[in-house]
């Protein structure tokens, strides 16, 4: 997760973090990495922090914001083309109300984020309460199921005992010999 800090101060100069500038542009991380690569191809390499993340000086951030707005307004086909126009000094769109790039803008953003987090926390609390209620319902159903199973097991034990208590059935009686067995017995017996 990127730093919550919106700016970093290095050597008296203010730098924006990549996450903050991407949020100000309203683009995803992968889109912003492409924009960063385009910027470094057209202008100079950006300074890096100890973890090799790009740091954005305010003038570089303003260039990227102008180029991004020019692409959105249809004045350039790509961010790289818009950045080349900026480097050539061509007049592009002007931002009527550019977002504040200093620490003041960061404070407003932190307040907005804090309000969003608070609102999400309330939503999570509501969900947890609903889950607790559902867990109670499930626990009650499981108890009732367990009691039913115990009653069925007891009924089966009683039935088994009742079956064991009954007398065993008598073995089947021998069936009378067949006619050919009688004839054979007479013939063999006379010898």
């Amino acid at each position: 997760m990127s730093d919550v800090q919106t700016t970093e101060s290095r050597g008296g100069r203010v730098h924006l973090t990549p996450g903050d500038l991407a949020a100000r542009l309203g683009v995803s991380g992968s889109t912003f990495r492409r924009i960063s690569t385009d910027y470094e191809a057209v202008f100079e390499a950006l300074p890096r922090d100890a973890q090799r993340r790009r740091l954005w000086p305010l003038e570089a951030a303003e260039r990227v914001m102008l180029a991004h707005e020019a692409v959105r307004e249809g004045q350039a086909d790509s961010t790289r083309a818009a950045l080349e126009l900026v480097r050539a000094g061509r007049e592009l769109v002007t931002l009527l109300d550019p977002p504040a790039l200093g620490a003041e803008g960061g404070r407003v953003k932190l307040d907005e984020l804090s309000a969003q987090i608070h609102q999400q926390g309330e939503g999570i609390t509501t969900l947890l309460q609903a889950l607790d209620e559902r867990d109670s319902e499930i626990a009650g159903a499981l108890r009732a199921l367990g009691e039913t199973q115990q009653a069925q097991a007891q009924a089966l034990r009683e039935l088994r005992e009742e079956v064991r208590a009954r007398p065993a059935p008598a073995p089947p009686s021998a069936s009378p010999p067949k006619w050919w067995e009688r004839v054979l017995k007479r013939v063999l017996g006379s010898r």
Side-chain angles (χ1 to χ4, degrees):
M1 190 171 178
S2 65
D3 296 332
V4 176
Q5 222 176 2
T6 59
T7 59
E8 293 182 11
S9 180
R10 300 182 87 205
R13 294 182 63 182
V14 176
H15 294 84
L16 296 169
T17 61
D20 185 50
L21 190 51
R24 289 170 192 245
L25 294 176
V27 297
S28 67
S30 60
T31 300
F32 188 72
R33 282 189 289 280
R34 184 185 48 79
I35 291 171
S36 300
T37 303
D38 289 345
Y39 181 87
E40 289 183 329
V42 173
F43 291 97
E44 71 279 355
L46 293 165
R48 307 281 178 140
D49 66 5
Q51 287 129 3
R52 304 285 303 143
R53 292 180 297 196
R54 292 178 178 98
L55 295 175
W56 287 84
L58 293 181
E59 57 271 10
E62 289 172 0
R63 290 176 189 155
V64 167
M65 289 177 14
L66 282 173
H68 184 70
E69 190 63 29
V71 171
R72 287 182 44 188
E73 293 292 324
Q75 293 182 348
D77 293 333
S78 67
T79 304
R80 183 175 285 201
L83 287 168
E84 288 172 356
L85 293 173
V86 169
R87 185 181 67 181
R90 180 157 171 224
E91 185 70 26
L92 295 176
V93 295
T94 54
L95 299 174
L96 297 177
D97 189 19
L101 294 176
E104 182 71 26
R107 180 67 200 167
V108 171
K109 185 175 181 179
L110 287 177
D111 290 343
E112 290 172 7
L113 288 173
S114 176
Q116 288 176 358
I117 289 171
H118 180 73
Q119 184 179 12
Q120 289 174 350
E122 290 174 354
I124 290 171
T125 301
T126 303
L127 286 174
L128 288 174
Q129 289 171 348
L131 286 174
D132 285 344
E133 291 173 9
R134 186 71 177 150
D135 285 348
S136 297
E137 291 173 10
I138 290 172
L142 288 174
R143 276 191 300 276
L145 179 63
E147 291 169 1
T148 302
Q149 287 177 334
Q150 286 177 354
Q152 287 175 344
Q154 181 62 33
L156 284 174
R157 283 191 292 274
E158 291 171 2
L159 183 60
R160 185 178 58 219
E161 292 300 319
E162 183 180 317
V163 168
R164 284 184 181 165
R166 288 185 181 172
S173 61
S175 59
K178 310 249 184 288
W179 67 269
W180 55 270
E181 291 175 335
R182 286 187 297 228
V183 171
L184 187 61
K185 199 174 198 183
R186 277 191 223 157
V187 171
L188 290 176
S190 61
R191 290 189 174 180

